Amino acid sequence: MSETNALNGGQMIVDYLIRNKVPYAFGLCGHGNIGFIDALYERQSDIKTISTHHESVCGFMADVYYRVSGQPTATFTSCGPGSANMPIALGNAFLDSVPFLAVTGNVPTSQFNRGAFQELYRHYQADFPSTVRAYCKRVFQPTRGEQMPHTIREAWKTMVTGRPGPVVLDVPFDIFKESTGAETPDPEAWVAGINCRPGADPEGVEKAARMLMAAERPVIFVGSGCRFGEASKRLIELAEKYRIPVAASASGLGALPAEHELALGLVARNGMYQANQATRQADLILALGVRFDDRTSSSWIPGYSFNIPPTKLIHVDIDPEEIGRNYPVELGLMADTTTFLGQLLHELESYEAGASEARRRWLGQIDGWRAEWDAFIAPGFKDPASPINPQRAAREIDLAMPDDGILVSDIGIHHNWLIQYCKPKRPDSLIGCMGFGPMGFGVAGVLGAKLAAPDRPCVAVVGDGAFFMHNTVLGTAVEYNIPVVWVVWNNYAYASIRGLQRGYLDSRELATDFKHPETGQPYNPDFAAMARSCGVDGISIDRPEDLGDAIRQAVAANRPYVIDANIGAESNPGGAGIWELPGLGQSKPMFGGRHELG
């Protein structure tokens, strides 16, 4: 190979991204990454650069871009404080198993351990990797140009194989411009041929089929592992063919369309009665790609979300560390959920389709629980109050969304209302974050959703607290003409936390309300006016009947749009489960009660 064919470090990273069909690099400039930006400049016709106004924004954009498209992208940030803004987005992607490549700049290798501008050196030289080690799948830090060919292919392979997750490529300033002495590794040779969808062992599949068919009260319980690829289609086939009801964690909603007759809805502390009641009375649960976290499992207290044991658990996950973490298993299978569902359907071909008499009685019981729940919640959907009843707000938002729309929820009290009362039609109809739960995920992530699906309407529902934190997204939407809609759930408070103060601390409220210092009245900026000052359309509403029309109008406008919606904050979403804050006590179910199996 002649020297003229060799790329420098920055060029090799960019070329490797392009070879992997990465369409965008999201990021923010700094002195530490101008060499990388220069490499992006050279390839502008092959990869588009989107400059954000805050580093965490680029991470959230890359996160949601993948959730919609299935294509990993890259971010770029500079040394010191620039990249130190990334752990929030990295941690969220890490816990939700979302891959993206975070290219972070660092000080020149010749300045290592000298306390150069923005170097973290007190414990170890150029020590940004220690900052993010707990927030990502792995950190790579090449210190010579000749290391880059091996480093870039290893970083990408680590990111997309096994349980996916974000990987950090921390590159010293000089390595971006130093010659690698080589051409770019071929992704087809090093990564594309790796099969990352392992199946379960045949004996395990056979046992799972026997247990499932022997159960009289089975439930399939799905998480995010059933929302990608063919998993959702195979899940529907399994449920319909053998008449098995399907419940979901917050991350699994939409894997089975919410209006499907076999869809139970959300199992959680604020889950639906029919969902929690079914999973806590089931004799068998087939869990696919779920973590059994505290919110889903009603803090693992028996009788509210689950009764495991005596309920038998088949737990399938690509990450064996998640199997048996919180509940003992009758059968644990390390496998990709898509592959496993294909194996299971094949194994079940020898069994008769349809439902036994016992299973028909089980489905009849569930229909009765669903009717009880629907009657209980019905009044909230008609409440004409202003500020808008949050339950009605969730329903109006859901009804206004087009069938192909993507609703991205930020974290906050509104998220609890949305996952309870919205009815996602497809796996990517409702996107939220349930592992790390950072404010700003939806505010920024909706930009990534729209870039991933430019022909689909993309709406973010975000709290007033999160929107105020990350309103720089308005500028990015205008600069790059990204026509998304933000619905600001404006309740003048960090209302989810205020609800905890009221419920667990005898209403000792502090630092959770937004109030004007002179009048004591609720205070927030005029978010609609803020939007207009940035060149974004903005309107304010406070009547429930106007909310749906405002969303339809905003979607039809096909330009960046903010809807500042005045939402009531005095009621908190309840459900059929509970949540415990150790030392402070347990909440109470809004409907139903504890049910323990004998």
Side-chain angles (χ1 to χ4, degrees):
M1 181 186 301
S2 68
E3 184 65 22
T4 57
N5 291 327
L7 303 175
N8 65 35
Q11 290 170 329
M12 183 168 286
I13 297 170
V14 171
D15 192 51
Y16 200 79
L17 295 176
I18 293 168
R19 286 171 179 245
N20 277 290
K21 300 180 174 57
V22 174
Y24 292 102
F26 309 117
L28 193 60
C29 65
H31 82 276
N33 64 6
I34 59 172
F36 181 70
I37 295 173
D38 197 41
L40 288 170
Y41 176 86
E42 295 174 343
R43 305 293 298 276
Q44 291 181 75
S45 61
D46 299 314
I47 184 170
K48 185 170 182 179
T49 300
I50 303 289
S51 173
T52 64
H53 296 280
H54 193 279
E55 287 83 1
S56 64
V57 168
C58 69
F60 293 140
M61 289 176 66
D63 182 322
V64 180
Y65 187 96
Y66 175 83
R67 297 187 198 223
V68 173
S69 70
Q71 168 65 59
T73 54
T75 63
F76 59 94
T77 53
S78 188
C79 51
S83 292
N85 278 326
M86 283 298 290
I88 296 172
L90 286 167
N92 187 69
F94 187 41
L95 293 186
D96 282 4
S97 306
V98 175
F100 70 86
L101 184 67
V103 181
T104 60
N106 213 319
V107 301
T109 56
S110 61
Q111 297 178 2
F112 276 17
N113 207 34
R114 302 189 70 179
F117 180 52
Q118 296 183 333
E119 182 193 12
L120 290 165
Y121 67 95
R122 297 283 182 89
H123 296 286
Y124 191 78
Q125 60 194 26
D127 200 19
F128 180 70
S130 291
T131 305
V132 291
R133 190 168 285 121
Y135 293 86
C136 64
K137 199 170 178 184
R138 186 166 172 189
V139 187
F140 293 85
Q141 189 189 64
T143 54
R144 300 191 309 275
E146 64 193 42
Q147 293 178 309
M148 189 59 76
H150 179 264
T151 300
I152 185 61
R153 63 177 173 82
E154 280 292 304
W156 190 271
K157 184 189 77 171
T158 301
M159 180 179 73
V160 299
T161 55
R163 182 177 183 173
V167 165
V168 173
L169 179 55
D170 189 60
V171 185
F173 178 90
D174 50 317
I175 305 305
F176 283 128
K177 285 298 186 179
E178 185 172 310
S179 174
T180 62
E183 292 184 327
T184 307
D186 180 7
E188 292 293 321
W190 288 102
V191 179
I194 300 175
N195 187 323
C196 303
R197 293 187 170 179
D201 72 275
E203 290 183 4
V205 176
E206 181 186 6
K207 183 177 180 181
R210 272 190 280 110
M211 291 174 63
L212 193 61
M213 290 298 99
E216 295 184 351
R217 303 186 307 280
V219 172
I220 301 171
F221 180 48
V222 298
S224 61
C226 275
R227 289 180 60 172
F228 299 106
E230 290 290 311
S232 178
K233 294 178 183 178
R234 293 178 181 179
L235 170 68
I236 294 171
E237 181 182 351
L238 175 64
E240 290 180 344
K241 192 171 182 179
Y242 299 99
R243 307 302 297 164
I244 307 171
V246 178
S249 70
S251 298
L253 290 171
L256 186 72
E259 297 284 14
H260 195 287
E261 61 173 338
L262 293 169
L264 298 173
L266 175 70
V267 176
R269 63 166 181 147
N270 63 309
M272 291 83 155
Y273 179 58
Q274 68 271 12
N276 282 47
Q277 185 78 329
T279 51
R280 63 197 180 201
Q281 293 199 34
D283 59 356
L284 176 79
I285 293 175
L286 171 59
L288 303 170
V290 294
R291 297 188 302 120
F292 290 105
D293 65 286
D294 60 325
R295 293 161 68 95
T296 298
S297 304
S298 293
S299 299
W300 309 288
I301 298 170
Y304 291 104
S305 290
F306 304 104
N307 280 300
I308 306 171
T311 298
K312 295 178 181 179
L313 174 62
I314 303 173
H315 194 173
V316 182
D317 202 288
I318 197 170
D319 185 351
E321 291 189 5
E322 296 296 353
I323 300 172
R325 180 187 296 279
N326 290 313
Y327 288 112
V329 296
E330 189 80 12
L331 176 62
L333 298 172
M334 187 194 79
D336 169 73
T337 52
T338 304
T339 305
F340 170 77
L341 283 168
Q343 292 178 294
L344 183 61
L345 284 165
H346 179 74
E347 183 68 30
L348 288 172
E349 286 178 358
S350 60
Y351 291 83
E352 184 178 352
S356 65
E357 179 59 34
R359 198 167 295 180
R360 282 193 288 271
R361 289 196 300 270
W362 173 234
L363 293 173
Q365 279 185 287
I366 290 171
D367 287 341
W369 298 330
R370 182 183 287 109
E372 289 182 66
W373 174 255
D374 288 345
F376 176 73
I377 63 176
F381 297 135
K382 300 176 182 178
D383 189 346
S386 176
I388 304 168
N389 179 318
Q391 181 184 324
R392 180 165 180 185
R395 174 58 63 89
E396 294 292 339
I397 291 167
D398 186 49
L399 293 175
M401 289 296 295
D403 287 348
D404 64 340
I406 300 172
L407 187 64
V408 184
S409 174
D410 211 285
I411 202 72
I413 199 166
H414 64 279
H415 182 70
N416 293 328
W417 290 106
L418 294 177
I419 59 178
Q420 192 174 66
Y421 294 111
C422 287
K423 297 182 179 296
K425 302 174 179 65
R426 47 195 280 182
D428 61 358
S429 291
L430 176 59
I431 296 174
C433 57
M434 288 305 295
F436 207 40
M439 295 173 69
F441 168 81
V443 182
V446 70
L447 297 172
K450 188 63 178 178
L451 292 173
D455 296 327
R456 297 173 62 186
C458 294
V459 177
V461 180
V462 304
D464 45 347
F467 189 72
F468 205 3
M469 275 185 193
H470 293 86
N471 56 65
T472 62
V473 296
L474 297 172
T476 303
V478 172
E479 291 166 32
Y480 294 94
N481 191 27
I482 308 175
V484 300
V485 179
W486 289 276
V487 178
V488 181
W489 190 284
N490 193 348
N491 51 27
Y492 299 91
Y494 296 120
S496 61
I497 308 307
R498 189 181 67 179
L500 298 181
Q501 291 174 333
R502 291 179 175 181
Y504 293 91
L505 299 173
D506 296 325
S507 296
R508 295 191 297 277
E509 300 173 28
L510 182 66
T512 51
D513 280 328
F514 311 148
K515 293 182 178 179
H516 194 280
E518 297 175 0
T519 66
Q521 294 299 305
Y523 163 77
N524 252 329
D526 184 334
F527 293 120
M530 178 189 293
R532 292 192 295 270
S533 74
C534 296
V536 174
D537 287 1
I539 61 171
S540 299
I541 63 167
D542 57 14
R543 300 190 308 170
E545 59 268 28
D546 295 335
L547 181 54
D549 288 341
I551 293 172
R552 296 181 189 94
Q553 175 183 323
V555 168
N558 197 35
R559 55 182 179 267
Y561 213 107
V562 168
I563 300 168
D564 184 359
N566 187 9
I567 310 290
E570 297 307 308
S571 59
N572 294 315
I578 65 170
W579 201 33
E580 180 181 37
L581 293 180
L584 296 181
Q586 301 173 8
S587 62
K588 295 181 180 179
M590 179 177 73
F591 188 82
R594 191 173 189 176
H595 183 96
E596 293 190 79
L597 295 176

